[in-house]
Amino acid sequence: MTRASARETFISCVIDALQEAETQLPRDVKEALARAAKAETSERAKEQLYAILENIKLAAAAGLPMCQDTGIPIFSLEIGRETSIDFNLKEALATAVRRATDLVPLREHAV
């Protein structure tokens, strides 16, 4: 793999991870929200929990963020001792976030 293609593959994977983080919740979290909605005794609270669950479903179907506040991306990378990376990781991460800001989309003022 060439240096340029390794960098682009890395950037593409970061964008995919950002999109998944912004548009998908783990199944156990969705199940916990559904259990909370069913167990809730306050009608107003129950309505809000069901609205959150509907929003999660719509966001996943449309591939859009679940929330307007998409947060601030923070990265932690573990790299094996035998790994050889011949491109600037910090610059590649910044490029991925810039592209994801348009593609996902992320909120520009936060990133």
Side-chain angles (χ1 to χ4, degrees):
M1 184 178 289
T2 68
R3 179 180 183 186
S5 65
R7 180 182 175 280
E8 284 303 314
T9 298
F10 177 80
I11 289 170
S12 178
C13 288
V14 171
I15 292 169
D16 289 347
L18 287 167
Q19 182 162 31
E20 182 176 340
E22 297 296 339
T23 63
Q24 304 286 327
L25 276 181
R27 186 177 65 222
D28 64 323
V29 174
K30 291 186 278 190
E31 289 171 354
L33 285 166
R35 282 192 307 275
K38 287 179 184 172
E40 183 56 61
T41 58
S42 163
E43 273 308 307
R44 181 169 284 157
K46 186 181 288 275
E47 288 173 11
Q48 292 304 308
L49 287 167
Y50 281 121
I52 290 168
L53 287 165
E54 181 66 15
N55 186 61
I56 291 166
K57 187 188 318 179
L58 292 171
L64 294 171
M66 292 174 273
C67 182
Q68 284 187 356
D69 182 357
T70 57
I72 298 172
I74 298 174
F75 298 94
S76 175
L77 304 174
E78 285 188 32
I79 301 170
R81 291 173 50 179
E82 304 293 319
T83 303
S84 174
I85 298 172
D86 61 351
F87 57 88
N88 183 315
L89 279 174
K90 186 175 179 180
E91 186 277 327
L93 283 169
T95 298
V97 171
R98 277 193 299 277
R99 289 184 191 171
T101 299
D102 291 332
L103 296 171
V104 173
L106 304 177
R107 300 231 9 213
E108 291 181 22
H109 73 278
V111 297

